[in-house]
Amino acid sequence: MLSRTVLSGENIILGSFIDEDIKKIIEWHADEKIMRNLDALPVKPKKETEIKKWLDECPQDTFRFSLRLKEGNELIGYAELNGILWPHRTGWVTIAIADETKWGKGYGKEAMQCLIRYAFRELNLYRLQLTVFSYNTRAKTLYESLGFRREGCYREFLERDGKRHDMYLYGLLRKEWKE
């Protein structure tokens, strides 16, 4: 019998979502601190139907995983590979630790290591890329510690609280990846 667990690290599991997760995901979308790091769109609470649609209508080029702690199976975020261009073996990476009490504990790094390994070994991708807002210092530090290189800058990309902020493009090539 195959396990529902797709990927795992020492403390986390990347797996499938369950119906009980919807309520927690709705809470995340109402949390300004979380959403301002994740999305350039204005913070807007989501309805249950919107979250269900996001979970149910996952495009073919998207691999979306729940991010749970092994101990207690608690949902703390999600990780995703999307926008995959199969002929070129490139894809986009997204990760969110949506439970603020779990920030700074290494769960994001562990999840990213699993996702990168999955992308390069299982999906045979060659290049991964992501964007991050200039004010998200924790995320930039994480990505750089994993070998991602800053490749570009979308200058003054968004405005938050009356200030303009850049959005950076980061990339990681398979040949640069160190397991």
PDB file of all heavy atoms in Angstrom, residues 95-113:
ATOM      1  N   ILE A  95       6.584  28.619  -1.002  1.00  0.00           N
ATOM      2  CA  ILE A  95       6.464  28.002   0.315  1.00  0.00           C
ATOM      3  C   ILE A  95       5.872  29.030   1.261  1.00  0.00           C
ATOM      4  O   ILE A  95       6.148  30.225   1.143  1.00  0.00           O
ATOM      5  CB  ILE A  95       7.813  27.487   0.857  1.00  0.00           C
ATOM      6  CG1 ILE A  95       7.593  26.754   2.182  1.00  0.00           C
ATOM      7  CG2 ILE A  95       8.823  28.589   0.959  1.00  0.00           C
ATOM      8  CD1 ILE A  95       8.789  26.022   2.700  1.00  0.00           C
ATOM      9  N   ALA A  96       5.056  28.547   2.174  1.00  0.00           N
ATOM     10  CA  ALA A  96       4.482  29.424   3.190  1.00  0.00           C
ATOM     11  C   ALA A  96       4.391  28.667   4.508  1.00  0.00           C
ATOM     12  O   ALA A  96       3.779  27.608   4.565  1.00  0.00           O
ATOM     13  CB  ALA A  96       3.088  29.887   2.771  1.00  0.00           C
ATOM     14  N   ILE A  97       5.039  29.208   5.507  1.00  0.00           N
ATOM     15  CA  ILE A  97       4.811  28.747   6.874  1.00  0.00           C
ATOM     16  C   ILE A  97       3.793  29.741   7.410  1.00  0.00           C
ATOM     17  O   ILE A  97       4.126  30.882   7.730  1.00  0.00           O
ATOM     18  CB  ILE A  97       6.097  28.772   7.738  1.00  0.00           C
ATOM     19  CG1 ILE A  97       7.220  27.955   7.097  1.00  0.00           C
ATOM     20  CG2 ILE A  97       5.785  28.295   9.159  1.00  0.00           C
ATOM     21  CD1 ILE A  97       7.005  26.475   7.075  1.00  0.00           C
ATOM     22  N   ALA A  98       2.552  29.327   7.448  1.00  0.00           N
ATOM     23  CA  ALA A  98       1.462  30.248   7.751  1.00  0.00           C
ATOM     24  C   ALA A  98       1.157  30.347   9.243  1.00  0.00           C
ATOM     25  O   ALA A  98       0.388  31.203   9.653  1.00  0.00           O
ATOM     26  CB  ALA A  98       0.209  29.836   6.980  1.00  0.00           C
ATOM     27  N   ASP A  99       1.753  29.503  10.032  1.00  0.00           N
ATOM     28  CA  ASP A  99       1.580  29.558  11.477  1.00  0.00           C
ATOM     29  C   ASP A  99       2.782  30.307  12.056  1.00  0.00           C
ATOM     30  O   ASP A  99       3.886  29.779  12.127  1.00  0.00           O
ATOM     31  CB  ASP A  99       1.500  28.135  12.049  1.00  0.00           C
ATOM     32  CG  ASP A  99       1.244  28.106  13.536  1.00  0.00           C
ATOM     33  OD1 ASP A  99       1.536  29.104  14.233  1.00  0.00           O
ATOM     34  OD2 ASP A  99       0.753  27.065  14.020  1.00  0.00           O
ATOM     35  N   GLU A 100       2.553  31.549  12.442  1.00  0.00           N
ATOM     36  CA  GLU A 100       3.640  32.423  12.899  1.00  0.00           C
ATOM     37  C   GLU A 100       4.404  31.844  14.089  1.00  0.00           C
ATOM     38  O   GLU A 100       5.598  32.101  14.253  1.00  0.00           O
ATOM     39  CB  GLU A 100       3.068  33.800  13.254  1.00  0.00           C
ATOM     40  CG  GLU A 100       4.118  34.836  13.514  1.00  0.00           C
ATOM     41  CD  GLU A 100       3.541  36.218  13.778  1.00  0.00           C
ATOM     42  OE1 GLU A 100       2.340  36.440  13.527  1.00  0.00           O
ATOM     43  OE2 GLU A 100       4.307  37.072  14.246  1.00  0.00           O
ATOM     44  N   THR A 101       3.758  31.043  14.908  1.00  0.00           N
ATOM     45  CA  THR A 101       4.451  30.445  16.062  1.00  0.00           C
ATOM     46  C   THR A 101       5.488  29.417  15.619  1.00  0.00           C
ATOM     47  O   THR A 101       6.314  28.984  16.426  1.00  0.00           O
ATOM     48  CB  THR A 101       3.461  29.777  17.041  1.00  0.00           C
ATOM     49  OG1 THR A 101       2.845  28.646  16.404  1.00  0.00           O
ATOM     50  CG2 THR A 101       2.400  30.747  17.512  1.00  0.00           C
ATOM     51  N   LYS A 102       5.462  29.030  14.346  1.00  0.00           N
ATOM     52  CA  LYS A 102       6.407  28.039  13.820  1.00  0.00           C
ATOM     53  C   LYS A 102       7.552  28.686  13.035  1.00  0.00           C
ATOM     54  O   LYS A 102       8.414  27.994  12.512  1.00  0.00           O
ATOM     55  CB  LYS A 102       5.679  27.026  12.922  1.00  0.00           C
ATOM     56  CG  LYS A 102       4.508  26.324  13.586  1.00  0.00           C
ATOM     57  CD  LYS A 102       4.905  25.580  14.842  1.00  0.00           C
ATOM     58  CE  LYS A 102       3.784  24.736  15.388  1.00  0.00           C
ATOM     59  NZ  LYS A 102       3.081  25.289  16.516  1.00  0.00           N
ATOM     60  N   TRP A 103       7.556  30.020  12.951  1.00  0.00           N
ATOM     61  CA  TRP A 103       8.619  30.726  12.246  1.00  0.00           C
ATOM     62  C   TRP A 103       9.920  30.615  13.039  1.00  0.00           C
ATOM     63  O   TRP A 103       9.927  30.599  14.262  1.00  0.00           O
ATOM     64  CB  TRP A 103       8.265  32.198  12.066  1.00  0.00           C
ATOM     65  CG  TRP A 103       7.126  32.455  11.114  1.00  0.00           C
ATOM     66  CD1 TRP A 103       6.445  31.540  10.373  1.00  0.00           C
ATOM     67  CD2 TRP A 103       6.536  33.711  10.831  1.00  0.00           C
ATOM     68  NE1 TRP A 103       5.463  32.152   9.631  1.00  0.00           N
ATOM     69  CE2 TRP A 103       5.495  33.495   9.899  1.00  0.00           C
ATOM     70  CE3 TRP A 103       6.766  35.007  11.263  1.00  0.00           C
ATOM     71  CZ2 TRP A 103       4.709  34.517   9.393  1.00  0.00           C
ATOM     72  CZ3 TRP A 103       5.975  36.036  10.767  1.00  0.00           C
ATOM     73  CH2 TRP A 103       4.965  35.795   9.832  1.00  0.00           C
ATOM     74  N   GLY A 104      11.031  30.558  12.316  1.00  0.00           N
ATOM     75  CA  GLY A 104      12.348  30.566  12.936  1.00  0.00           C
ATOM     76  C   GLY A 104      12.763  29.251  13.573  1.00  0.00           C
ATOM     77  O   GLY A 104      13.732  29.205  14.319  1.00  0.00           O
ATOM     78  N   LYS A 105      12.070  28.176  13.273  1.00  0.00           N
ATOM     79  CA  LYS A 105      12.373  26.869  13.874  1.00  0.00           C
ATOM     80  C   LYS A 105      12.999  25.889  12.879  1.00  0.00           C
ATOM     81  O   LYS A 105      13.216  24.737  13.198  1.00  0.00           O
ATOM     82  CB  LYS A 105      11.115  26.277  14.491  1.00  0.00           C
ATOM     83  CG  LYS A 105      10.521  27.151  15.599  1.00  0.00           C
ATOM     84  CD  LYS A 105       9.371  26.479  16.274  1.00  0.00           C
ATOM     85  CE  LYS A 105       8.677  27.359  17.273  1.00  0.00           C
ATOM     86  NZ  LYS A 105       9.497  27.872  18.341  1.00  0.00           N
ATOM     87  N   GLY A 106      13.257  26.355  11.655  1.00  0.00           N
ATOM     88  CA  GLY A 106      13.897  25.502  10.656  1.00  0.00           C
ATOM     89  C   GLY A 106      12.941  24.683   9.811  1.00  0.00           C
ATOM     90  O   GLY A 106      13.379  23.940   8.927  1.00  0.00           O
ATOM     91  N   TYR A 107      11.630  24.803  10.045  1.00  0.00           N
ATOM     92  CA  TYR A 107      10.672  24.009   9.283  1.00  0.00           C
ATOM     93  C   TYR A 107      10.632  24.429   7.814  1.00  0.00           C
ATOM     94  O   TYR A 107      10.489  23.586   6.923  1.00  0.00           O
ATOM     95  CB  TYR A 107       9.271  24.104   9.883  1.00  0.00           C
ATOM     96  CG  TYR A 107       9.185  23.651  11.316  1.00  0.00           C
ATOM     97  CD1 TYR A 107       8.500  24.399  12.268  1.00  0.00           C
ATOM     98  CD2 TYR A 107       9.787  22.468  11.743  1.00  0.00           C
ATOM     99  CE1 TYR A 107       8.406  23.980  13.596  1.00  0.00           C
ATOM    100  CE2 TYR A 107       9.712  22.049  13.058  1.00  0.00           C
ATOM    101  CZ  TYR A 107       9.014  22.821  13.980  1.00  0.00           C
ATOM    102  OH  TYR A 107       8.939  22.405  15.282  1.00  0.00           O
ATOM    103  N   GLY A 108      10.761  25.730   7.564  1.00  0.00           N
ATOM    104  CA  GLY A 108      10.763  26.211   6.182  1.00  0.00           C
ATOM    105  C   GLY A 108      11.959  25.689   5.411  1.00  0.00           C
ATOM    106  O   GLY A 108      11.834  25.268   4.262  1.00  0.00           O
ATOM    107  N   LYS A 109      13.118  25.690   6.039  1.00  0.00           N
ATOM    108  CA  LYS A 109      14.328  25.188   5.373  1.00  0.00           C
ATOM    109  C   LYS A 109      14.188  23.702   5.080  1.00  0.00           C
ATOM    110  O   LYS A 109      14.516  23.244   3.982  1.00  0.00           O
ATOM    111  CB  LYS A 109      15.561  25.452   6.240  1.00  0.00           C
ATOM    112  CG  LYS A 109      16.844  25.066   5.543  1.00  0.00           C
ATOM    113  CD  LYS A 109      18.061  25.567   6.278  1.00  0.00           C
ATOM    114  CE  LYS A 109      19.301  25.359   5.438  1.00  0.00           C
ATOM    115  NZ  LYS A 109      20.468  26.050   5.994  1.00  0.00           N
ATOM    116  N   GLU A 110      13.700  22.966   6.036  1.00  0.00           N
ATOM    117  CA  GLU A 110      13.520  21.530   5.852  1.00  0.00           C
ATOM    118  C   GLU A 110      12.527  21.250   4.717  1.00  0.00           C
ATOM    119  O   GLU A 110      12.758  20.382   3.865  1.00  0.00           O
ATOM    120  CB  GLU A 110      13.016  20.922   7.161  1.00  0.00           C
ATOM    121  CG  GLU A 110      13.237  19.460   7.276  1.00  0.00           C
ATOM    122  CD  GLU A 110      12.863  18.920   8.648  1.00  0.00           C
ATOM    123  OE1 GLU A 110      13.033  19.621   9.671  1.00  0.00           O
ATOM    124  OE2 GLU A 110      12.392  17.779   8.678  1.00  0.00           O
ATOM    125  N   ALA A 111      11.441  22.005   4.684  1.00  0.00           N
ATOM    126  CA  ALA A 111      10.443  21.827   3.629  1.00  0.00           C
ATOM    127  C   ALA A 111      11.014  22.193   2.265  1.00  0.00           C
ATOM    128  O   ALA A 111      10.782  21.483   1.273  1.00  0.00           O
ATOM    129  CB  ALA A 111       9.205  22.665   3.936  1.00  0.00           C
ATOM    130  N   MET A 112      11.774  23.280   2.200  1.00  0.00           N
ATOM    131  CA  MET A 112      12.385  23.676   0.929  1.00  0.00           C
ATOM    132  C   MET A 112      13.387  22.631   0.458  1.00  0.00           C
ATOM    133  O   MET A 112      13.456  22.334  -0.736  1.00  0.00           O
ATOM    134  CB  MET A 112      13.075  25.042   1.064  1.00  0.00           C
ATOM    135  CG  MET A 112      12.128  26.220   0.991  1.00  0.00           C
ATOM    136  SD  MET A 112      11.371  26.456  -0.634  1.00  0.00           S
ATOM    137  CE  MET A 112      12.764  27.041  -1.579  1.00  0.00           C
ATOM    138  N   GLN A 113      14.167  22.061   1.368  1.00  0.00           N
ATOM    139  CA  GLN A 113      15.111  21.014   0.981  1.00  0.00           C
ATOM    140  C   GLN A 113      14.370  19.827   0.372  1.00  0.00           C
ATOM    141  O   GLN A 113      14.809  19.273  -0.638  1.00  0.00           O
ATOM    142  CB  GLN A 113      15.945  20.577   2.191  1.00  0.00           C
ATOM    143  CG  GLN A 113      16.948  21.621   2.629  1.00  0.00           C
ATOM    144  CD  GLN A 113      17.570  21.324   3.986  1.00  0.00           C
ATOM    145  OE1 GLN A 113      16.959  20.726   4.859  1.00  0.00           O
ATOM    146  NE2 GLN A 113      18.802  21.766   4.166  1.00  0.00           N
TER     147      GLN A 113
END
